[in-house]
Amino acid sequence: MLTSLHLAIRSLRWYYGRTITIVLCLTLTLWLPISVRLILEQFQSDITSRARQTPLVIGANGSRIDLALHALYFEAIPPGVTTMGEVDRVNESGYGTAIPIHSRYRTQSRNQVDGVSIVGTSPEYFEFRGLNIAAGEPLTMLGDCVVGSNVARNMQLKAGDSILSAPRNAFNLAGDYPLKLRVTGVLAPGFSADDNVVFVDTKTTWVIDGIGHGHADLTKVQDESLLLSQDPSSVTASAAVLPFTEITEENVDSFHFHGDPATFPLTAIVVQPNDEKGQALLLGKYSGAENTAVCIKPPDVVNDLLDVVFRIERLIRLSAFISAIVTILFLGLVVFLSIRLRASEIQTITRLGGSRTTVISYLATETILQLLAATFLAIVAALITQQLASESLRTLLF
Amino acid sequence: MILIEGLCFSYPDGIFNLEIPHLNIPPEQACAVIGPSGSGKTTLLNLMAGILTVRSGVIKIGDAAVSRLSETARRLFRLNQIGMIFQDFQLIEYLSVIENIVLPARLASGKLPDTAVLDKAASLLSDCGLAGYANRRVTRLSQGERQRVAICRALIMGPRVILADEPTGNLDPHTAGKVLDLLLHQTAVHKATLVMVTHDHSLLDRFQQVVPFEQFLKAAVQGSDAAC
């Protein structure tokens, strides 16, 4: 055995070009399925753990997957919206606590970094996700925002800085105007989607929506041309009266909302049921066809999604299996040609008195050493790939 | 030392038949085997070494009837009792000089060579004028130096018989003479019997016995039915 090992090591070193080629071929063949498996396991672990922490989500009727991914990652925007009335309905039912999510806008790009989602929510969300302020203060006033740790790092933001919201449609002159958001705090890293967004109060998102606004007091304007009509009960202003695009301590009192708050839009509602019974009753409550909102269990939706992903993985595994067969055939050919090319060396060993077992053991040791080296390299490469690719894969999918 | 009686051999394809009714090579003698190419000289060495087996007849080396040993026994006999030298040296290029020399010892034991073997290899290298060459690659040696390494390898196990197949065939006359002198000297020092195939008739006067091979060669025939 030691003789075989000695001869094999010396031979592998001498024919290093052939050795490197074979080891690289085997490494690549092993790397693909190992990497896919590790990345998907990491991905599965990430996505299911966040889904499990989010028992129920209510949103407009439509794609369950879009709704779940929006509530979990703020990326896919559901085509429809639900209303603040549903939050009140859940809270009044006593079955659980509803946390509003309103995320239809993004910030403008900054520091050569693309804009990120602006998420309007209530203070309960931070407690629900276990998010803590690492620097600065929490949200205190309309127009305030706290930024996720990745956003703060990438956009170089800190408490006291400001960032602009991006209009959804640049040609809608009557629609949303950019709102200057004042950064009051930076969140501690949570290693989740919360690190990649800007949080504001839901009222601030409604201001961006144009539902709420602030402007000069029209009962005290000096310029009469700004008024179209005036009587003791109402004032009609001209379009020349522009709403404020920044909320300050001086103008915050002028901000007001038009309409019934129960009709104000939300893109999703995260619900924390009080118990299993509450969860079941809420699901039942929203199961009727007459409902304009739907209640979903994110873990179920994510499992459906993972089924699709793992079906793709089976295809990748099949392709890796085929490439493994090709590699084995290639390796067989290399070994066969190598034996023919080294017939003289093998003949020398035999003629000196080496047994057939010695020769086979020597050639087998060579192959095993190459396989071990390739397996080691493939595992190392797969672990590196897992580190680099798991985050990219999630970004790619959502 | 080497006794052949009624040897009969033919290859499966029946290209030629080799018949040796009687051949005796006394111990510690140097015997040259001469004959035209293809007459079966190398085949005879392979039969003596137990690499090939006879169809009939007996080959005895000392007390051992090589022709009647099992394959494993013939292999072990070859490792321990016979040193082989080839025309093309047959050194393993990825091993160093010392590793090539101790290879038979490694094949016999399956273990790392012990100090005694390494000391003997160093001594042989010194005797063959290759002191200081132990860790060199064999690919960096001249032809004459390679054949001297092959002689060291043949002697490492202290064999009773050395079978040399045209060991000077690839060497220039001057080097061939020096290598043969070394081979004869080392064979004598180690009290071994030398059987050497050669085409060089100018070297024959250095051997105690010369075996002309034409006498053993039966006319080439086709088909195994004509074989002995």
Side-chain angles (χ1 to χ4, degrees), chain B residues 111 159 228:
Chain B
K111 295 185 289 192
C228 54

Side-chain angles (χ1 to χ4, degrees), chain B residues 89 138-148 171 175:
Chain B
F89 324 128
V138 291
T139 48
R140 296 195 174 175
L141 301 181
S142 69
Q143 302 285 81
E145 287 168 341
R146 288 185 199 194
Q147 197 56 293
R148 281 190 273 164
L171 306 176
T175 310

Side-chain angles (χ1 to χ4, degrees), chain A residues 1-3 6-8 10-11 13-15 342 344-345 347-356 358 362 366, chain B residues 42 46 51 71 75 78-79 84 86 90 92-96 99 103-104 106-107 110-112 137 139 153 165:
Chain A
M1 186 61 207
L2 277 176
T3 299
H6 174 256
L7 289 174
R10 287 304 168 95
S11 162
R13 280 177 59 184
W14 182 258
Y15 302 109
R342 293 157 66 188
S344 159
E345 169 195 330
Q347 189 187 44
T348 302
I349 294 172
T350 311
R351 294 180 84 177
L352 288 175
S355 65
R356 194 172 298 169
T358 304
Y362 156 50
E366 262 195 32
Chain B
T42 300
N46 286 338
I51 295 168
E71 188 181 336
R75 189 175 59 75
R78 185 159 72 248
L79 262 174
M84 297 200 70
F86 310 98
Q90 294 206 4
I92 295 179
E93 59 183 358
Y94 54 78
L95 297 179
S96 67
E99 286 169 339
L103 183 60
R106 296 197 72 147
L107 292 172
K111 295 185 289 192
L112 295 171
R137 293 270 154 217
T139 48
R153 183 178 65 187
D165 190 1

Side-chain angles (χ1 to χ4, degrees), chain B residues 29-95:
Chain B
Q29 275 213 357
C31 171
V33 178
I34 57 169
S37 296
S39 58
K41 302 183 297 296
T42 300
T43 301
L44 175 62
L45 294 191
N46 286 338
L47 287 165
M48 287 177 175
I51 295 168
L52 296 174
T53 50
V54 297
R55 284 196 129 195
S56 61
V58 176
I59 299 175
K60 287 184 80 175
I61 294 180
D63 298 330
V66 178
S67 53
R68 289 176 186 161
L69 295 175
S70 68
E71 188 181 336
T72 306
R74 285 201 313 274
R75 189 175 59 75
L76 292 174
F77 181 80
R78 185 159 72 248
L79 262 174
N80 292 298
Q81 303 293 332
I82 294 176
M84 297 200 70
I85 302 170
F86 310 98
Q87 181 180 357
D88 56 357
F89 324 128
Q90 294 206 4
L91 299 173
I92 295 179
E93 59 183 358
Y94 54 78
L95 297 179

